[in-house]
Amino acid sequence: MKGIVFTEFLELVESKFGLEMVDQIITQSELVSGGSYTSIGTYEFGEMLQLISNLSKNTEVSTDDLLLAYGEHFFNVIETSYPQMLAMYQGPIEMLASIENHIHVEVKKIYHDAELPTFTIIEQTENTLSMIYQSSRSMHMFGLGLMNRTFKHFNAAAEIRHEKLKDDGTEVQFSIKMI
Amino acid sequence: MQTPQSDVYQRALARERNARKEAERILEAKSTELYHLTQALTQSNAKLEVLLQEKKSELSGLIHHILDPYILVDLDGNIIKLNKAAVELFDYDNLIKKAGKVNLIHLVSPEDRMRLSTAFMDMVEDGYIKEIEVKITAADGTVRDLQINASVLYDNNNNPTAAQGIARDITALKQLEAQKDKLYEKLESQNEELNEYAHVVSHDLKSPLRSVNALIQWIKTDDKNVFDPSMDQYFGMIDKSVKKMENLISDILRYSKSEVDYSEETLVNVGDLISEVQEHIDVPANISIVIESQMPTVQVQKGKLEQVIQNLMTNAIKFTPQADGLITWKYKSVDGKHQFAIRDNGIGIEEKYFDKIFKVFQSLKASEHSTGIGLSIVKKVLISMGGEIWLQSTLGKGTTFYFTLPQS
Amino acid sequence: MNAKKGLRVLVIEDDKIENLKFGRVVANLDVLHQVTFVNDGDEAIDLLMSKDTTLPQLIVLDLNMPRLDGFEFLKMLKSTEYLKYIPVVILTTSENKKEIKTCYELGIAGYLVKPLDYNIYVSKIESLLKYWSLNELLSS
């Protein structure tokens, strides 16, 4: 997993819960990296799982909610680092529909070793989009956070429903309706 | 469980330091990688540069030393580069000193400018032009004919960028061609004149002969009573001389016309033609004619070959007086030529006359070895067909004439 | 014996002996032909144009003559409305195919080559005159 995902996560934790919480979750987790992350490095996904579950334990906030909040926060990174990519889209539906065929392709160009989820589009109209998330990471809530912020970015609102097609969360259907 | 604040900060600081070192390590590795990559690129670039330079100098050396003028122009026809031959031909140094910029169009004669600019536009459109001929005034003041081949040069994106052309000085060639045409025309008109002349001469020569003939007849009939036998004999001799003269005139006319045959070439079976000729001429009872070999089919003007065969046959018959006269035709292919032979078992010809019998003025003289003008005609016609003729002969045993024709 | 009525013949020929030959043949026939000799085409035209002339029934024409030659004369004759019906027979030494063709294209009635042998000449001219007399007789 790319370093930037860790550094951003820890920054978020620090801003919401303080440096002590950061220190605590790192100390609680068994991390090969020792908790020193740089955005340009690459780290085990297992480290992220430990950090999130420890944060959930300490704060009594569910991992799903944490991932959602984190996804929303992570959109800021995209907005500041890749504004030209966002500028290519006229609206949120168009942008979300291009995740698989365009955005992830571009991401792969910058980070060759990035491991990305798959989004399969089931149905698309002008104002609705239905697609299936697939990833062994089960981080669909992170995706939902990004989606929420996408609509906000385009000054639009949406009703986004998600339904686990597999209990472990490795396959989730998103039904998006712009309002 | 409260962690002392300073410990938290220290650990955070340590993590930050480690992260920074990790980042530096990664960046260092990246920069090393980049450095090596740049090194490799620089090296291959240098290699390419050397290669390019080599090719460039090879090419410019080549262009410079080409004997034909070479010109590189932009797409408006402005001259970018010339080789040595072109600089010398157009006195380019002088032109550029005067005008500063020289366009292709200014190199050619005014009357060819329109044509050249049309050709230039065609070239930009089609990519090349071939064998465009223009006149120029060279540095030394002489007018020269140039033949130009040119093509458009394109950049990597296939956009036309310039044009290059090579000119060949064909002045001498053109002059030769013109001379040849003139000569040919002259020859043709001379030939025509000569035929006309022969015709008129023979006509004018024949008329008095007719008069002589008529006058003799009148004398013979009107003054029948005063004639003695010797006078009768003399008049007979005059008559014969007149007839001989008439024949000579006809022969000259025939000779002068013998090549003038512009009919189409057709496929002719020589065996069939021999039989055809044989039917038309009087073959005396003492002569047998045999075609021994399989005769070929040849592509010729039939009238000419007929004339050859007829003359040779008549000739053979004339000089084969004995009872068991035999004339044989033979054929074989020799050195890519058709070779025919006609043999008789007649009186034969002495070797010293072999050349003479083909000469027109030699054979015109009354002589016992004369065969008339026929053989000179045969030779003339055969030469006009690309063939040859010669003979072998033994006195008292017979003569063989050989002649050849080209095999298409 | 009354000589049979012959043809009016115009002979255009510059050679005096040729004319003598022709005259001699005519004189030996038992038909009385009226033969007029002129030297060349110009003389012939003058004669034909003169209003005192009764037009000939046959013209015998040599080709090779000084001044107006046979071809020129033929052209003029055939382009003159009241003269073009007079039959013209060529009598010449020329056997040139091109000339023979030109003559026929200009509308001649016959082409005779003068033979070397006088006796053959006599026969040719006799037959010529006989033919055209008969022709005249039939058409009148």
Side-chain angles (χ1 to χ4, degrees):
Chain A
M1 186 169 257
K2 292 314 294 180
I4 191 164
V5 184
F6 289 86
T7 55
E8 287 299 322
F9 175 71
L10 291 178
E11 256 176 52
L12 179 65
V13 174
E14 190 181 335
S15 69
K16 296 281 184 203
F17 306 103
L19 188 59
E20 286 83 359
M21 183 57 80
V22 174
D23 187 66
Q24 196 182 349
I25 58 173
I26 288 172
T27 316
Q28 285 167 340
S29 307
E30 288 174 15
L31 305 172
V32 181
S33 66
S36 317
Y37 298 108
T38 161
S39 60
I40 55 174
T42 306
Y43 308 93
E44 286 291 319
F45 176 68
E47 296 195 1
M48 177 57 78
L49 283 183
Q50 288 187 64
L51 291 170
I52 288 175
S53 73
N54 283 324
L55 182 64
S56 175
K57 250 185 258 163
N58 297 342
T59 56
E60 292 177 350
V61 180
S62 72
T63 40
D64 277 356
D65 287 348
L66 286 172
L67 278 172
L68 180 70
Y70 179 43
E72 285 175 355
H73 170 77
F74 199 79
F75 196 84
N76 292 339
V77 179
I78 299 172
E79 265 182 335
T80 30
S81 305
Y82 307 103
Q84 71 277 13
M85 197 181 79
L86 294 176
M88 289 173 66
Y89 301 100
Q90 310 292 328
I93 297 283
E94 185 197 348
M95 177 171 153
L96 293 178
S98 335
I99 292 176
E100 187 69 24
N101 291 329
H102 181 247
I103 298 176
H104 282 178
V105 173
E106 293 300 312
V107 172
K108 276 277 186 188
K109 279 185 198 166
I110 306 169
Y111 308 105
H112 319 277
D113 44 5
E115 293 167 75
L116 304 166
T118 318
F119 285 92
T120 312
I121 294 172
I122 306 296
E123 201 193 338
Q124 183 186 356
T125 68
E126 199 186 322
N127 291 318
T128 65
L129 181 65
S130 168
M131 55 187 184
I132 293 170
Y133 161 94
Q134 277 172 301
S135 170
S136 59
R137 309 289 197 235
S138 304
M139 281 176 74
H140 67 279
M141 288 308 283
F142 179 76
L144 182 62
L146 286 171
M147 286 180 200
N148 286 337
R149 280 298 307 278
T150 303
F151 280 95
K152 208 172 161 196
H153 173 82
F154 287 103
N155 291 320
E159 188 187 288
I160 304 175
R161 285 187 292 118
H162 57 95
E163 186 191 344
K164 283 187 184 169
L165 300 179
K166 281 187 181 161
D167 286 343
D168 61 0
T170 55
E171 219 176 291
V172 178
Q173 177 158 359
F174 284 95
S175 302
I176 305 160
K177 191 177 164 195
M178 191 154 70
I179 41 178
Chain B
M1 199 175 92
Q2 198 70 24
T3 316
Q5 201 72 15
S6 64
D7 284 0
V8 173
Y9 284 135
Q10 260 175 12
R11 277 197 295 274
L13 197 63
R15 283 198 304 273
E16 284 304 320
R17 212 177 280 137
N18 283 337
R20 199 194 71 220
K21 281 184 186 157
E22 171 72 1
E24 284 166 354
R25 191 192 56 75
I26 292 170
L27 286 175
E28 182 67 30
K30 286 279 173 205
S31 97
T32 312
E33 195 185 316
L34 266 175
Y35 172 77
H36 286 304
L37 212 64
T38 313
Q39 276 309 88
L41 270 173
T42 311
Q43 267 178 11
S44 72
N45 237 354
K47 264 188 212 163
L48 280 171
E49 200 72 47
V50 169
L51 205 68
L52 192 69
Q53 204 51 48
E54 267 173 28
K55 292 287 164 204
K56 249 186 176 169
S57 76
E58 255 175 48
L59 203 63
S60 85
L62 197 68
I63 286 167
H64 194 66
H65 291 109
I66 291 174
L67 292 174
D68 290 330
Y70 167 91
I71 302 178
L72 184 70
V73 296
D74 66 19
L75 291 177
D76 296 321
N78 296 314
I79 290 172
I80 300 171
K81 206 166 143 186
L82 299 93
N83 72 347
K84 205 169 135 216
V87 168
E88 282 168 12
L89 180 69
F90 297 113
D91 195 14
Y92 182 70
D93 293 340
N94 204 6
L95 283 177
I96 200 89
K97 224 183 275 167
K98 273 195 277 182
K101 190 168 101 176
V102 180
N103 194 286
L104 203 57
I105 227 78
H106 297 122
L107 298 179
V108 305
S109 300
E111 69 269 23
D112 279 346
R113 283 182 187 161
M114 198 63 207
R115 218 153 48 79
L116 183 68
S117 73
T118 311
F120 194 84
M121 286 190 284
D122 286 350
M123 177 196 64
V124 174
E125 186 129 311
D126 302 343
Y128 67 92
I129 40 165
K130 270 167 93 179
E131 297 178 358
I132 299 294
E133 289 181 12
V134 292
K135 278 191 196 306
I136 62 143
T137 305
D140 61 6
T142 58
V143 174
R144 308 203 148 261
D145 290 295
L146 296 186
Q147 190 184 61
I148 301 169
N149 288 301
S151 58
V152 176
L153 300 174
Y154 300 92
D155 65 12
N156 287 341
N157 297 323
N158 217 21
N159 295 317
T161 53
Q164 60 179 353
I166 235 175
R168 171 147 293 182
D169 190 334
I170 54 164
T171 315
L173 205 73
K174 276 270 199 191
Q175 278 169 355
L176 270 177
E177 242 169 54
Q179 267 175 18
K180 201 184 80 187
D181 285 353
K182 238 188 193 165
L183 211 68
Y184 190 76
E185 247 170 59
K186 201 173 151 193
L187 214 70
E188 209 161 21
S189 83
Q190 272 181 351
N191 217 2
E192 185 100 340
E193 250 171 54
L194 212 66
N195 278 320
E196 199 79 8
Y197 178 72
H199 176 68
V200 170
V201 163
S202 67
H203 176 273
D204 288 354
L205 289 175
K206 276 180 172 180
S207 292
L209 289 178
R210 272 151 188 66
S211 302
V212 171
N213 194 282
L215 290 166
I216 291 166
Q217 293 305 315
W218 296 345
I219 296 169
K220 272 161 88 174
T221 48
D222 295 0
D223 309 320
K224 221 181 324 197
N225 304 331
V226 296
F227 264 54
D228 67 23
S230 74
M231 280 178 91
D232 212 27
Q233 196 189 337
Y234 296 153
F235 277 118
M237 283 160 80
I238 295 175
D239 233 15
K240 260 193 193 159
S241 299
V242 168
K243 278 197 179 110
K244 179 145 193 171
M245 186 75 189
E246 162 95 7
N247 284 336
L248 290 177
I249 292 165
S250 297
D251 279 351
I252 291 177
L253 197 59
R254 215 144 53 80
Y255 180 78
S256 74
K257 276 187 186 166
S258 56
E259 289 180 305
V260 192
D261 177 359
Y262 299 114
S263 58
E264 288 283 309
E265 285 188 354
T266 52
L267 283 176
V268 178
N269 181 286
V270 181
D272 292 350
L273 188 58
I274 290 171
S275 309
E276 214 176 285
V277 170
Q278 200 176 319
E279 280 171 30
H280 288 150
I281 56 178
D282 282 333
V283 182
N286 67 313
I287 304 274
S288 317
I289 297 177
V290 182
I291 301 176
E292 265 188 13
S293 323
Q294 174 84 28
M295 289 288 158
T297 297
V298 293
Q299 170 114 12
V300 288
Q301 289 170 292
K302 192 183 171 194
K304 285 188 173 181
L305 187 57
E306 192 174 346
Q307 207 170 5
V308 169
I309 290 171
Q310 183 180 324
N311 274 303
L312 288 173
M313 292 252 262
T314 327
N315 193 64
I317 291 168
K318 195 159 145 194
F319 293 95
T320 310
Q322 70 270 30
D324 58 345
L326 179 64
I327 293 171
T328 334
W329 280 97
K330 278 189 182 172
Y331 166 81
K332 61 182 168 181
S333 179
V334 180
D335 297 336
K337 289 175 193 162
H338 297 295
Q339 182 180 307
F340 302 88
I342 171 171
R343 195 173 89 200
D344 63 58
N345 58 351
I347 59 171
I349 303 165
E350 274 185 79
E351 202 176 332
K352 60 176 173 181
Y353 298 118
F354 280 10
D355 285 338
K356 269 194 171 179
I357 57 168
F358 292 116
K359 288 186 182 153
V360 57
F361 292 109
Q362 294 289 344
S363 48
L364 274 171
K365 279 185 201 157
S367 125
E368 57 182 308
H369 304 289
S370 162
T371 57
I373 203 164
L375 287 176
S376 355
I377 292 179
V378 166
K379 185 165 182 177
K380 198 172 157 202
V381 169
L382 275 172
I383 287 170
S384 83
M385 295 168 89
E388 285 174 285
I389 184 163
W390 68 95
L391 72 150
Q392 281 174 359
S393 187
T394 313
L395 264 186
K397 291 206 167 164
T399 306
T400 308
F401 280 96
Y402 299 90
F403 69 91
T404 61
L405 287 174
Q407 285 177 356
S408 57
Chain C
M1 184 177 91
N2 261 351
K4 284 183 215 157
K5 204 175 163 240
L7 292 165
R8 291 185 304 279
V9 184
L10 175 64
V11 176
I12 311 170
E13 164 74 79
D14 61 311
D15 191 320
K16 294 277 172 301
I17 299 177
E18 281 301 321
N19 287 340
L20 265 177
K21 278 162 73 180
F22 196 92
R24 200 173 156 115
V25 174
V26 172
N28 283 336
L29 295 173
D30 57 352
V31 182
L32 190 64
H33 297 287
Q34 282 183 302
V35 183
T36 313
F37 296 99
V38 292
N39 269 318
D40 55 46
D42 285 322
E43 273 185 34
I45 293 289
D46 287 348
L47 185 75
L48 291 169
M49 295 293 197
S50 150
K51 52 179 192 276
D52 303 331
T53 310
T54 315
L55 290 181
Q57 291 155 310
L58 176 68
I59 295 176
V60 176
L61 177 68
D62 185 22
L63 289 176
N64 210 355
M65 289 179 296
R67 302 213 290 171
L68 195 66
D69 73 8
F71 300 105
E72 296 303 318
F73 171 77
L74 254 179
K75 274 182 216 158
M76 285 190 76
L77 186 86
K78 290 297 170 189
S79 58
T80 309
E81 196 50 43
Y82 71 102
L83 297 177
K84 68 180 179 192
Y85 302 106
I86 307 172
V88 177
V89 172
I90 304 292
L91 185 61
T92 179
T93 39
S94 170
E95 290 177 72
N96 187 298
K97 283 177 192 155
K98 224 169 78 188
E99 292 188 1
I100 295 174
K101 193 168 170 259
T102 312
C103 287
Y104 275 107
E105 279 165 3
L106 286 170
I108 58 162
Y111 193 100
L112 293 182
V113 177
K114 292 174 195 165
L116 177 66
D117 192 297
Y118 177 70
N119 295 321
I120 296 175
Y121 173 82
V122 172
S123 311
K124 271 196 177 182
I125 300 304
E126 278 180 5
S127 129
L128 171 75
L129 293 169
K130 224 178 261 172
Y131 171 81
W132 285 103
S133 301
L134 250 164
N135 205 48
E136 195 61 35
L137 201 71
L138 282 172
S139 60
S140 64

